[in-house]
Structures are given as structure tokens and as C-alpha cells.
Amino acid sequence: MTTIRIERDLRLPDDLRVARAQSAPHLGPRILFFSGGSALNGISRQLKRYSFNSMHLITPFDSGGSSQILREAFDMPAVGDLRSRLMALADESVLGQPDVYALFSHRLPKTAPQQELQADVARIIAGKHPLISAISQPMRQLIQTLMTSFAEHVPSGFDYRNASIGNLILAGGYLSNGRALEPVLFLMSKMVDVRGTVRAVVDENLHLGVDLADGRRIISQRLISGKEAPPIDSPIARCFLSDGASELSPDAVALPKRNRRLIDQADVICYPPGSLYSSVIANLLPAGVGKAIAKRPVPKVYLPSLGTDPEALGHRLVDQVNAILAPLRSDAGPEAKATDLLTHVLCDEDLPEHQCTELTERTGIQCHRMPLRLAEEMKYDPDKIARILVSLD
């Protein structure tokens, strides 16, 4: 166990706080995450044992995989990471909605003929596919209505291979609600009894861009992440939001008031593991995020990714932290100290101690090394992380 000081001495994990949260998760702490991708999903699944009140601001700037196909077809934000987090936080017990969960999590085959895939989607819309017919009314009709909206707008030649049905439902809801994500995210949350709040950090169709240390500029998340393009071979110097062609002014994209209120309510703020720029920092770029974080007097914790992050090429721990701080400081103003924006870094004990020491000496942010990862793989122990986060409240 490790003892740190926030406003009191804490023992991590704090067994009393953990037990209290586990006995009454509906009263659990409001832990706010800025994230995207799937790196946090395992921790999220464990966290719902202790709190039904976690809050997740998710990047909608993904430009790869099936999300990109939807973005190109409908000129909309990316929804794949939002759906993935909704499913991670859904009530998966028999008291939840397992039939709805199964439909939302279903993917069409990667290799089947397009005509066959279109027929599968048509059967869902008609209520004749086993996955939709298993769902009772009126939930079934609501889902069919959203899928019908998708079908009415889908362009000819749409590629259904590997499409997530949940993503298609989100797209239909987006199109039928005035091209807004929030209403359909709310509806889907209720349909699968999500144990928390999941929102896009902004409800806008934008892209992520980066400037590299060698002077090059890259726009599009899929070209940055190294998942669908060769890994970048120069360190990232800064990142920004783009309309797809050029950089947008920091003031051009504002954090919605509803999301600022989430930050104002947070008991703990967490910058979680995930791709440094496209999953974490992307959420910190809208105007107002830094100001809202700086004024909230709660623990603000960074959990750096384990293993190799292609987006953190050449980044020591202090470089990762400074990359997180850069957009927050720019927004919060020169009076904001580093510790107003990030109070603690929690690292696995495998991280060299000198990197922790360097971070604290250069930023004043406390850094703590402790056993956090699974013994058999380079991943955080989800339950251990959940218990630590609950203990910070």
C-alpha cells in the first residue's frame, strides 16, 4: 500500500471507502474521465461495482475503422468509442437488458457479401432478425425507429462489413434528432441501464491534428494513432482541432455547458490510460476545459499507459504530463499552476524511479510508484485501479 497526501492522508486502496462504495454504488463517487478508445473499458467495467456515478467525456474525433465509414456517409462525429463505453458501463446482469445489450454489441461479419449484410440489416429493421425479435416492446419499436432513420439516409454503396449495429443505431438517432448526439446517447443509456454518464466532449464533426517535431503536420486521428497507417517517426510537438483541412482557433470549439457542469460536479478527475493525444489530450482542447478543471478543488490524477504508445514517441513521463498540461494551461490562463490542473501521477512500480523524481522536481506534481499492473500482461489490474480511484474521493 502507498500513502499520499491530498487534503488528508490516504491509504491506497482505502478498504473502508471501497467497502462503503461497494455496499451503495448508487451513492458512489463522481469520477470524471477524459478518454476515448477501449483502454479504459476494463477499468470501467470494474468501477461500476463501486459507483453508478462515473462520468465519461469521450472524444468524437476518431477517423478510423467503421466509425470513419459512418462519418463519410453522414458527415457526423465518430460514435464508436461512445458506444463502446456505453456497453462497458451497461448493467450486464439479468436485471439489466441483456437482449438489448446483445444487439447493440453485435457486429456484422467482415467478409460476407454486401447483399447478405444489407439483408441482415433489413431484417433488424423489420423486426425479423433473432437479435431484435428477442427484445420486448416498446423497446423493440424504439430501436426499429432509429434503424429506419439510418436506412432512410444511408447512401448507396455503404460498406456494411464489420459494422457495429450499435453504431448504426446511434447514427440513426443522430440523424433523427436534428443531427445531435446527446438525445440518442441519453436514450441508449436508458435502454441498457448504463451505470454512469457518457457524453461526447463536444457534439461536433471535427478532426484531430498534430504538429511533429520535424515540422510536419498531420490531420486525421487514424494517421496519428499508427493503427491504420505507419507509426509516425517523429515526436508530436502539439495537437489541435481541425475542420479536416486546417487548424481551428482554440476559441472556435467550446465545451458545452452540460459538460462543464459535469466537471463542476466531479469528486475526482482522471486522465486515464489510452493513446496520449488521440484518446486523452483530444478531450482537453475545447475552450473552457482548462478553466473548469482549474477551479475544481479535487484530486486530479494521471494514469500513464503501460507498454509502448506510438503517440508518445520520445516522451518521458514529464513530457507526457507537460503535453497534458499544455492545452489546459493555455485555456486556464497564466495564473493556473500545474498542480491546479493535475495533482498526482500514479505509476506502476516498473517505471524507473528517476522519471518520477524528474516529474516532481520540474512540475511540483506528486508522483507515486506502486504495483498496479496484472502479473501476466502489460495491462493495469482493473479492479485495483477502480479501488484506488474510489479511495481518492
Side-chain angles (χ1 to χ4, degrees), residues 48-248:
K48 64 189 177 187
R49 296 175 55 204
Y50 307 104
S51 178
F52 296 166
N53 301 313
S54 64
M55 303 178 291
H56 302 251
L57 294 179
I58 307 289
T59 168
F61 311 131
D62 186 4
S63 62
S66 57
S67 285
Q68 175 64 5
I69 293 171
L70 286 171
R71 296 193 73 176
E72 292 174 347
F74 301 115
D75 190 27
M76 64 181 290
V79 296
D81 291 343
L82 289 156
R83 176 200 53 80
S84 177
R85 190 61 48 80
L86 287 169
M87 296 303 100
L89 291 167
D91 180 1
E92 298 178 64
S93 73
V94 294
L95 298 178
Q97 297 285 348
D99 295 329
V100 179
Y101 179 92
L103 176 66
F104 288 174
S105 301
H106 180 66
R107 279 193 181 273
L108 297 175
K110 291 182 180 180
T111 57
Q114 286 290 335
Q115 188 174 5
E116 181 180 316
L117 299 177
Q118 286 179 279
D120 265 358
V121 172
R123 290 171 65 210
I124 292 173
I125 294 170
K128 297 179 180 179
H129 192 286
L131 285 171
I132 188 77
S133 61
I135 299 170
S136 58
Q137 298 287 18
M139 197 88 74
R140 186 197 312 163
Q141 184 60 51
L142 282 171
I143 295 169
Q144 287 176 264
T145 299
L146 296 177
M147 286 294 290
T148 298
S149 177
F150 164 81
E152 289 172 349
H153 292 86
V154 70
S156 61
F158 181 83
D159 188 354
Y160 287 94
R161 290 174 298 178
N162 201 40
S164 161
I165 297 300
N167 287 0
L168 304 188
I169 293 168
L170 281 170
Y174 173 80
L175 296 166
S176 63
N177 282 283
R179 302 184 70 82
L181 281 176
E182 185 63 19
V184 68
L185 289 173
F186 176 80
L187 179 59
M188 187 176 275
S189 294
K190 296 304 179 184
M191 285 180 172
V192 291
D193 196 9
V194 167
R195 306 304 207 181
T197 299
V198 178
R199 291 180 182 165
V201 67
V202 293
D203 196 345
E204 299 191 42
N205 182 26
L206 300 173
H207 291 270
L208 186 67
V210 298
D211 288 329
L212 304 183
D214 64 7
R216 286 178 293 159
R217 170 166 284 193
I218 298 175
I219 295 177
S220 180
Q221 178 269 345
R222 68 186 180 87
L223 301 178
I224 298 166
S225 67
K227 296 175 182 176
E228 296 186 27
I232 53 178
D233 55 5
S234 177
I236 295 175
R238 62 182 290 268
C239 66
F240 55 87
L241 294 179
S242 167
D243 58 8
S246 57
E247 179 176 354
L248 297 174

Side-chain angles (χ1 to χ4, degrees), residues 9 53 70 90-91 102 126-127 132 185 195 217 225 246 253 262 267 276 280 286 300 305 323 351 373 387-388:
D9 287 334
N53 301 313
L70 286 171
D91 180 1
I132 188 77
L185 289 173
R195 306 304 207 181
R217 170 166 284 193
S225 67
S246 57
V253 184
L262 288 187
D267 298 314
L276 180 61
V280 181
K300 301 158 190 178
S305 291
L351 184 87
R373 72 176 182 89
R387 290 162 62 89
I388 286 173

Side-chain angles (χ1 to χ4, degrees), residues 222-374:
R222 68 186 180 87
L223 301 178
I224 298 166
S225 67
K227 296 175 182 176
E228 296 186 27
I232 53 178
D233 55 5
S234 177
I236 295 175
R238 62 182 290 268
C239 66
F240 55 87
L241 294 179
S242 167
D243 58 8
S246 57
E247 179 176 354
L248 297 174
S249 163
D251 297 329
V253 184
L255 182 73
K257 289 182 180 179
R258 63 181 179 272
N259 290 344
R260 188 169 68 240
R261 285 194 291 270
L262 288 187
I263 298 174
D264 292 343
Q265 296 166 3
D267 298 314
V268 177
I269 293 172
C270 183
Y271 309 99
S275 298
L276 180 61
Y277 287 91
S278 61
S279 289
V280 181
I281 296 174
N283 292 291
L284 311 180
L285 299 175
V289 175
K291 288 185 178 70
I293 291 173
K295 74 176 187 179
R296 186 66 183 150
V298 298
K300 301 158 190 178
V301 180
Y302 175 43
L303 281 166
S305 291
L306 299 175
T308 301
D309 177 2
E311 296 182 10
L313 175 69
H315 286 42
R316 304 182 313 282
L317 179 61
V318 68
D319 300 317
Q320 295 175 48
V321 168
N322 281 330
I324 290 171
L325 293 176
L328 299 177
R329 280 173 159 159
S330 177
D331 185 73
E335 68 280 1
K337 304 185 297 293
T339 49
D340 293 330
L341 304 166
L342 203 166
T343 60
H344 298 84
V345 175
L346 302 182
C347 300
D348 185 70
E349 60 186 357
D350 285 349
L351 184 87
E353 186 173 1
H354 68 84
Q355 290 205 39
C356 263
T357 302
E358 177 188 28
L359 171 68
T360 302
E361 289 177 348
R362 291 181 56 178
T363 66
I365 296 168
Q366 295 183 42
C367 182
H368 308 277
R369 295 165 64 249
M370 60 189 81
L372 296 177
R373 72 176 182 89
L374 295 168

